[in-house]
């Protein structure tokens, strides 16, 4: 069994696994499940500071992204796709498959979106129904500042769809302050539940826009409107994956009880980046580093498959490669959720030291020693809340 230190899915705590094994009822018929589902959604609203409505969908995180686009997009709608990463650009596929016109705002994949430059663009063209933006682009490790980007879009009357699948619960996020209209998340990243669930937070403005459509949503499973009256009617549009949702609830309870969760992510990420730089390896991003994933360039003379294969087969640790324009160019360490702890990250750094030595590549210093030194240099502090 490998230690999973990938950029998602992440390790799952034993209490979450146990929760998923509990005896279940019929979620279609038992009103107690509707209460449990709503209570769980209320916790999601509380943790991310949303006055809108949260829903849990039965499908991996991509379902939430598609559902947001399916529910908002009508044929001919112009949609601004903020493209500074692989997942950012990927929103264009969802927009076009539902008849919209995707207009790409493409910028440097190694830096976060510059709100001032985006404003210059919007001053020339702001005729968009909604815009899509990624909080943490997992392939590149870039973190975009939603607290500046989404309010800027709102100034021009543009609704926002934000993907924080790999950001939320590892980075501070306040839905109301950011004025996000539909926020999308997934169970398997920093929340550290198994893959299989999407979460969406829907503002009143977004719900009104969906209800005001002139054409029906061209999907059933990806139609957020089908959930609107689930609680009043005690009825769900499809059978909900009850065991997965019970596990999700346990994972959320763990997050609520973890008062230093954001400080721990920041400390682990900072120490990781310090170690990478001290060793002579190169980070892929120039700035705008996420605290949930570190993306490292494959050194000249090596391949991603040799690094990943040695880590997996000799040291029992699974890291992530990448795909699309970054295929073969980088490897990724996921230090989010249950992965964001000193013991596991020390093991990763020690194994990387061994891997590079095995492959005949000389580092400037020990990753493990540099990581521990940087980690210990950060004073302890606690977050008062997520």
């Amino acid at each position: 069994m490998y230690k999973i230190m990938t950029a998602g899915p992440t390790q799952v705590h034993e209490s979450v696994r146990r929760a998923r094994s509990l005896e279940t009822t019929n979620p279609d018929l038992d009103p107690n499940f509707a209460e449990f589902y709503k209570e769980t959604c209320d916790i999601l609203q509380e943790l991310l500071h949303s006055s809108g409505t949260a829903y849990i969908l039965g499908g991996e995180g991509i379902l939430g992204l598609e559902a947001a686009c399916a529910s908002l997009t009508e044929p001919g709608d112009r949609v601004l796709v903020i493209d500074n990463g692989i997942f950012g650009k990927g929103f264009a596929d969802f927009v076009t498959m539902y008849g919209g016109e995707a207009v790409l705002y493409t910028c440097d994949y190694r830096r976060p979106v510059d709100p001032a430059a985006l404003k210059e663009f919007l001053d020339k063209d702001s005729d968009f129904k909604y815009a899509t933006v990624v909080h943490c682009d997992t392939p590149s490790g870039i973190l975009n500042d939603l607290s500046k980007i989404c309010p800027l879009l709102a100034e021009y009357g543009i609704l926002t769809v934000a993907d924080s699948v790999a950001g939320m619960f590892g980075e501070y996020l306040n839905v109301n302050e950011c004025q996000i209209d539909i926020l999308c998340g997934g169970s398997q990243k920093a929340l550290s539940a198994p893959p299989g669930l999407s979460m969406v937070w829907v503002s009143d403005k977004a719900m009104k826009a969906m209800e005001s459509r002139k054409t029906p949503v061209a999907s059933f499973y990806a139609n957020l409107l089908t959930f609107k009256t689930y609680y009043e009617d005690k009825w769900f549009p499809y059978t909900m994956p009850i065991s997965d949702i019970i596990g999700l609830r346990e994972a959320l309870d763990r997050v609520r009880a973890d008062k230093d969760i954001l400080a721990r992510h920041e400390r682990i990420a900072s120490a990781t980046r310090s170690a990478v730089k001290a060793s002579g390896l190169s980070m892929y991003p120039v700035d705008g580093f996420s605290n949930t994933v570190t993306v490292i360039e494959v050194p000249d003379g090596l391949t991603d498959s040799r690094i990943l294969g040695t880590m997996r087969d000799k040291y029992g640790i699974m890291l992530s490669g990448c795909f699309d324009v970054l295929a073969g160019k980088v490897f990724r360490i996921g230090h989010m959720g249950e992965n964001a702890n000193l013991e596991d990250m020390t093991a990763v750094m020690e194994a990387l030291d061994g891997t590079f030595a095995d492959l005949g590549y000389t580092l400037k210093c020990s990753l493990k020693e540099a990581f521990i030194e940087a980690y210990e240099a950060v004073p302890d502090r606690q977050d008062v809340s997520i």
Side-chain angles (χ1 to χ4, degrees):
M1 196 72 174
Y2 303 118
K3 184 183 292 294
I4 306 300
M5 298 298 291
T6 59
T10 54
Q11 300 179 75
V12 176
H13 193 268
E14 180 62 25
S15 66
V16 176
R17 286 193 288 269
R18 286 198 301 267
R20 293 179 75 243
S21 69
L22 295 174
E23 184 178 356
T24 60
T25 185
N26 185 332
D28 291 329
L29 302 176
D30 192 337
N32 291 326
F33 174 74
E35 295 292 338
F36 181 82
Y37 177 96
K38 185 179 185 302
E39 290 170 4
T40 306
C41 291
D42 289 345
I43 293 171
L44 288 168
Q45 289 172 232
E46 167 203 328
L47 287 174
L48 294 190
H49 315 284
S50 169
S51 58
T53 306
Y55 302 101
I56 303 166
L57 311 181
E60 192 272 338
I62 290 291
L63 173 61
L65 310 183
E66 180 173 346
C69 295
S71 301
L72 283 176
T73 309
E74 294 193 73
D77 283 342
R78 297 181 80 234
V79 178
L80 180 63
V81 175
I82 297 177
D83 165 30
N84 74 316
I86 293 169
F87 282 166
K89 186 176 183 178
F91 264 114
D93 294 333
F94 297 130
V95 171
T96 55
M97 74 172 59
Y98 290 102
E101 178 190 349
V103 178
L104 267 62
Y105 174 76
T106 301
C107 39
D108 192 343
Y109 273 31
R110 302 185 68 167
R111 301 177 185 274
V113 173
D114 178 2
L118 178 60
K119 186 179 188 306
E120 290 182 11
F121 173 87
L122 292 171
D123 284 339
K124 299 172 185 175
D125 185 3
S126 60
D127 182 22
F128 302 104
K129 182 176 185 178
Y130 69 94
T132 64
V133 60
V134 175
H135 187 202
C136 168
D137 186 67
T138 331
S140 63
I142 295 292
L143 187 76
N144 288 314
D145 189 347
L146 299 187
S147 70
K148 291 183 171 62
I149 295 168
C150 296
L152 172 63
L153 292 161
E155 289 178 16
Y156 292 84
I158 302 169
L159 298 171
T160 51
V161 171
D163 165 6
S164 187
V165 171
M168 61 176 61
F169 307 114
E171 299 279 359
Y172 178 74
L173 184 57
N174 186 310
V175 173
N176 286 346
E177 287 179 0
C178 292
Q179 301 180 49
I180 301 168
D181 291 299
I182 301 183
L183 176 69
C184 305
S187 57
Q188 76 274 27
K189 301 282 187 175
L191 189 52
S192 287
L197 296 175
S198 294
M199 302 90 72
V200 292
W201 291 252
V202 182
S203 74
D204 292 341
K205 278 199 307 180
M207 185 59 72
K208 184 177 180 180
M210 291 186 281
E211 292 172 332
S212 302
R213 295 174 58 107
K214 298 181 177 63
T215 59
V217 176
S219 175
F220 176 80
Y221 206 76
N223 181 357
L224 294 178
L225 287 173
T226 61
F227 278 84
K228 185 186 174 188
T229 61
Y230 82 87
Y231 185 65
E232 294 80 0
D233 299 339
K234 301 297 186 289
W235 178 89
F236 292 92
Y238 50 82
T239 300
M240 300 306 295
I242 181 171
S243 293
D244 289 343
I245 293 173
I246 292 172
L248 181 79
R249 175 67 166 269
E250 172 63 21
L252 287 169
D253 287 343
R254 286 182 58 76
V255 168
R256 283 207 291 182
D258 189 354
K259 298 304 180 185
D260 68 339
I261 186 171
L262 298 183
R264 186 176 69 255
H265 277 81
E266 182 181 0
R267 186 175 186 179
I268 288 287
S270 176
T272 302
R273 293 192 292 266
S274 293
V276 169
K277 293 173 184 176
S279 74
L281 297 173
S282 298
M283 301 278 293
Y284 175 75
V286 174
D287 57 20
F289 304 102
S290 166
N291 285 333
T292 60
V293 57
T294 293
V295 181
I296 304 166
E297 293 184 350
V298 173
D300 291 340
L302 298 182
T303 64
D304 63 333
S305 59
R306 293 181 70 197
I307 296 169
L308 299 172
T310 305
M311 285 288 291
R312 181 187 63 241
D313 299 336
K314 183 171 181 178
Y315 297 96
I317 296 177
M318 187 176 288
L319 303 182
S320 297
C322 208
F323 52 94
D324 200 86
V325 297
L326 291 178
K329 298 178 181 179
V330 301
F331 65 96
R332 299 178 291 159
I333 306 170
H335 38 71
M336 61 182 85
E338 295 293 336
N339 292 10
N341 67 82
L342 178 61
E343 181 181 355
D344 284 337
M345 281 302 298
T346 300
V348 169
M349 293 300 170
E350 184 174 22
L352 281 171
D353 281 338
T355 292
F356 283 113
D358 294 339
L359 298 178
Y361 187 87
T362 302
L363 299 172
K364 290 183 178 179
C365 67
S366 162
L367 282 160
K368 176 185 175 182
E369 292 176 5
F371 171 77
I372 292 173
E373 181 181 353
Y375 183 88
E376 292 178 343
V378 179
D380 288 323
R381 71 175 180 84
Q382 282 196 332
D383 295 304
V384 294
S385 71
I386 193 167

